[in-house]
Structure formats: structure tokens, C-alpha cells
Amino acid sequence: MAEKITDETIDYVGILAKLKLSEQEREDAKADMQKMLDYIDKLNELDTAGVEPMTHVFPVKNVFREDVVVNGDDREQMLANAPEQRDGQYQVPKTVE
């Protein structure tokens, strides 16, 4: 049988979650947590011998690619769209006095 949820456990969880629970909310939370633990206990009854542990039901793998620069540093082309430019840089209105 699963561990029994106590009032101290509910108080501790309330402190961690920064919740102020009424007496009815405390009892409801205690019952809900107990149901969760009972369900987990029921899952522990399953025979999992020979089942490989996994983190996801689908095979997940990282796909890495080479970090290759494809457009380079074409400053003239980038500045061609600028409304104003000066000395190879964007010119913008002054915003700070």
C-alpha cells in the first residue's frame, strides 16, 4: 500500500506552493494526493522485467549539422536597403541627448 498522506505533508506542500488552504481544500488535496500515490502503487505491481528504460515513447535523437556561413559578410548588399548610411554603417536618428 502507498504511503499515507498526512496533515504535515499537506502543510509542507502548501508552504512550498505558497498556498493558504481552507480546511475543506486541505482534505480535498489530501484525498487527491492519496489517490495519486495509490495509482502509482498499482503501477508498481506491473512486471517490467526486460523492459528497457526510456525517456520518450518515440525514438528521439539530435540532428546536428555543420555550422557553415552561406551568405557571408556582404555589407554593401545589407546596407542597400538602409534609408540612410554613413561610413559603411546604418545611420539612425539620435535618441539620447
Side-chain angles (χ1 to χ4, degrees), residues 18-29:
K18 297 184 188 248
L19 296 173
K20 291 186 180 180
L21 301 174
S22 68
E23 194 58 38
Q24 182 61 43
E25 290 171 328
R26 287 170 45 103
E27 291 303 316
D28 292 344

Side-chain angles (χ1 to χ4, degrees), residues 20-77:
K20 291 186 180 180
L21 301 174
S22 68
E23 194 58 38
Q24 182 61 43
E25 290 171 328
R26 287 170 45 103
E27 291 303 316
D28 292 344
K30 190 168 24 171
D32 287 344
M33 287 180 153
Q34 191 62 53
K35 286 180 190 175
M36 287 183 233
L37 287 181
D38 291 341
Y39 183 72
I40 292 170
D41 205 33
K42 183 179 252 184
L43 290 175
N44 286 334
E45 295 173 5
L46 294 174
D47 180 22
T48 57
V51 177
E52 188 176 331
M54 61 182 170
T55 58
H56 201 277
V57 291
F58 299 112
V60 178
K61 59 184 175 190
N62 286 331
V63 179
F64 295 105
R65 63 171 173 78
E66 277 296 315
D67 189 13
V68 179
V69 177
V70 291
N71 59 354
D73 184 23
D74 192 3
R75 181 181 295 229
E76 296 303 319
Q77 187 178 6

